[in-house]
Amino acid sequence: MDLLTISLTLGGLMLVLLAAGLWVALALMVAGLAAIYLMVPVPPGAVMATTVWGSINSWDLAALPMFIWMGEILFRTRLAEDMFAGLAPWMRRLPGRLLHVNILGCAIFAAVSGSSAATTATIGRMSLPELRKRGYDERMAIGSLAGSGTLGLLIPPSIILIVYGAATEQSIARLFIAGVVPGIMLAALFMGYTAVWSMINHKRMPEADPRIPYLQRIWQTRRLFPILALIIGVIGSIYGGFASPTEAAVVGVVLSLALSWFTGTLSRSTFFDALRNASRTSCMIVLILAGASVLTVAMGYTGIPRALAQFIAEQGYSPYALLAVLTLFFVVLGCFLDGISIVVLTASVILPMVEAAGLDIIWFGIYLVLVVEMSQITPPVGFNLFVIQGLTGHNILKVAGMTLPFFLMMIVAVALIVLFPQLALWLPQTMLAR
């Protein structure tokens, strides 16, 4: 069979399997086994067994369940309540006032969660009732929450960056540090839009709250100290070279358990609930990685990635043109698949094209996560939309309409890191210099 026929066959098979509701991991494995059977005279079962074992037998992957467990523990603490109380007094004089608590709260929780859905659910449970009670515009309250919740994918420790690093054999520590500046930049874009909107629509903003004395604001800020200590312990240890991502994940779990005990939320039931949910999520992700590794090996046997990379190189596309096409491709794909599935499904095919275009693989990981973030707020499979639908009861399309301005801010963020790659590469370079 020629490469075009085998590509169409495998693509059609994948679409049929996914449309039939088969797990993404199993669909990847079946497509990979079909490719091996059609193209190579080797036993597909033996190839699958050795490939699956090789893909999950990785020390770097040990960070994955630990960071997920850390997020699950913190999900059950009073962290969101403390963050709201600590941030709110300082936001009262900014245009947009308490709407910024959504954005900053999500940014802070993202730095200890790694999950977009967990960030959205945790902050949303606290902020939405407060904002509604104080008379803030519902569209902006929900839109800012949905958009800011996607920061859980970008700001380290990010689960999807661990998956990308494992799939592409890149340094997870460098990927983590590369996500810091783009994450802060995206949060700043969200805050800038919120401030401008509130100045233009000042009649839709509630009356300003009474002024809080300066000393009282400082006293309220003390409630942020435990979570800031946790962020410094995890991210600072990686950046300073004191710990690998796996070791930092263990530090994060120990500190989150201590924080949970300190706030009085650590009990036998919460401990085992967090452990059970973390185990379930970790097994799902590792299974997807195993399925993706089978498909990756199969693609190598078929020669499709090499042929595709050669075709791209022969066309003479500029890096900007290639990225424009890939952005559209990932946004469309994000309408039907979750972020982790997109990364593992496309890595083996996309990376040869990226390398042929001369793009940095670490930088491309940050670009990819930024684009995949958009899929969290695009129907019909936007996980953040489902979370907010559960919190508010609104139709998912209505929620998607509320998030549109923040979707556009993400497009601006993608354009900025394409035009200024050092936004993602500067911190990893300083880390290596240490």
Side-chain angles (χ1 to χ4, degrees):
M1 300 176 73
D2 60 81
L3 290 182
L4 178 59
T5 303
I6 192 67
S7 300
L8 293 175
T9 302
L10 293 178
L13 178 62
M14 281 289 298
L15 287 176
V16 170
L17 293 175
L18 292 173
L22 191 66
W23 290 355
V24 172
L26 296 182
L28 293 170
M29 286 186 184
V30 170
L33 290 174
I36 295 171
Y37 179 79
L38 292 173
M39 297 292 292
V40 188
V42 296
V47 172
M48 184 182 78
T50 55
T51 302
V52 167
W53 173 249
S55 67
I56 62 177
N57 184 25
S58 168
W59 173 245
D60 287 339
L61 274 181
L64 181 67
M66 300 303 288
F67 277 128
I68 294 174
W69 190 19
M70 182 180 76
E72 289 287 343
I73 294 168
L74 294 173
F75 181 73
R76 289 161 175 79
T77 65
R78 293 200 304 268
L79 178 63
E81 181 182 343
D82 287 341
M83 283 195 301
F84 195 95
L87 289 171
W90 299 99
M91 300 295 108
R92 297 177 190 274
R93 301 188 66 180
L94 290 178
R97 296 198 290 277
L98 295 186
L99 290 173
H100 295 295
V101 175
N102 261 352
I103 301 167
L104 290 177
C106 286
I108 292 173
F109 192 81
V112 292
S113 167
S115 166
S116 175
T119 299
T120 304
T122 305
I123 302 302
R125 284 173 181 166
M126 181 62 205
S127 67
L128 287 183
E130 280 291 324
L131 294 174
R132 187 181 301 115
K133 183 174 68 176
R134 295 167 189 256
Y136 281 85
D137 184 80
E138 186 181 43
R139 290 186 64 87
M140 276 300 293
I142 292 176
S144 61
L145 174 65
S148 304
T150 63
L151 293 169
L153 293 181
L154 183 59
I155 295 178
S158 164
I159 303 305
I160 200 168
L161 284 177
I162 297 176
V163 172
Y164 176 83
T168 59
E169 299 182 353
Q170 295 298 310
S171 166
I172 293 174
R174 289 188 67 200
L175 285 166
F176 274 5
I177 300 305
V180 172
V181 174
I184 295 172
M185 176 191 70
L186 186 57
L189 285 172
F190 289 160
M191 292 183 70
Y193 170 77
T194 300
V196 171
W197 180 91
S198 66
M199 288 187 288
I200 295 174
N201 299 277
H202 57 90
K203 292 183 179 179
R204 297 168 65 180
M205 294 290 294
E207 293 293 327
D209 294 325
R211 182 180 176 84
I212 297 177
Y214 189 75
L215 290 178
Q216 186 177 342
R217 279 187 276 171
I218 294 178
W219 178 245
Q220 287 287 86
T221 306
R222 81 193 190 282
R223 302 179 70 172
L224 293 176
F225 291 161
I227 189 62
L228 293 178
L230 181 58
I231 294 171
I232 293 170
V234 174
I235 306 303
S237 61
I238 296 175
Y239 180 75
F242 303 114
S244 68
T246 304
E247 293 162 343
V250 177
V251 171
V253 169
V254 173
L255 290 177
S256 62
L257 285 170
L259 180 59
S260 181
W261 174 81
F262 180 75
T263 58
T265 55
L266 181 62
S267 65
R268 182 184 179 90
S269 62
T270 58
F271 178 86
F272 283 106
D273 284 346
L275 188 60
R276 186 182 304 110
N277 286 346
S279 301
R280 184 182 297 117
T281 304
S282 301
C283 290
M284 176 196 71
I285 295 174
V286 169
L287 186 59
I288 291 175
L289 281 173
S293 67
V294 174
L295 184 61
T296 299
V297 169
M299 291 295 99
Y301 280 132
T302 63
I304 292 174
R306 290 190 300 274
L308 190 57
Q310 184 179 357
F311 173 77
I312 295 295
E314 290 173 352
Q315 300 308 306
Y317 289 144
S318 69
Y320 292 133
L322 175 62
L323 289 172
V325 172
L326 288 179
T327 300
L328 182 60
F329 169 71
F330 284 126
V331 169
V332 172
L333 202 60
C335 293
F336 307 99
L337 294 173
D338 65 281
I340 290 175
S341 298
I342 292 172
V343 171
V344 297
L345 186 62
T346 60
S348 62
V349 176
I350 297 298
L351 279 186
M353 299 163 51
V354 172
E355 291 174 331
L359 299 173
D360 186 277
I361 303 301
I362 294 291
W363 174 88
F364 185 77
I366 303 304
Y367 155 83
L368 178 59
V369 171
L370 261 176
V371 177
V372 165
E373 279 185 340
M374 299 179 191
S375 70
Q376 301 296 301
I377 54 175
T378 53
V381 189
F383 282 171
N384 283 19
L385 301 182
F386 287 125
V387 171
I388 291 178
Q389 183 184 36
L391 291 174
T392 64
H394 288 312
N395 180 278
I396 193 170
L397 294 178
K398 183 178 180 181
V399 176
M402 297 175 180
T403 64
L404 180 59
F406 296 88
F407 180 87
L408 297 177
M409 289 298 102
M410 291 182 188
I411 294 178
V412 172
V414 170
L416 286 174
I417 71 158
V418 169
L419 294 174
F420 307 103
Q422 285 301 110
L423 287 170
L425 297 177
W426 174 67
L427 268 184
Q429 288 168 353
T430 64
M431 180 178 71
L432 290 178
R434 297 171 67 89

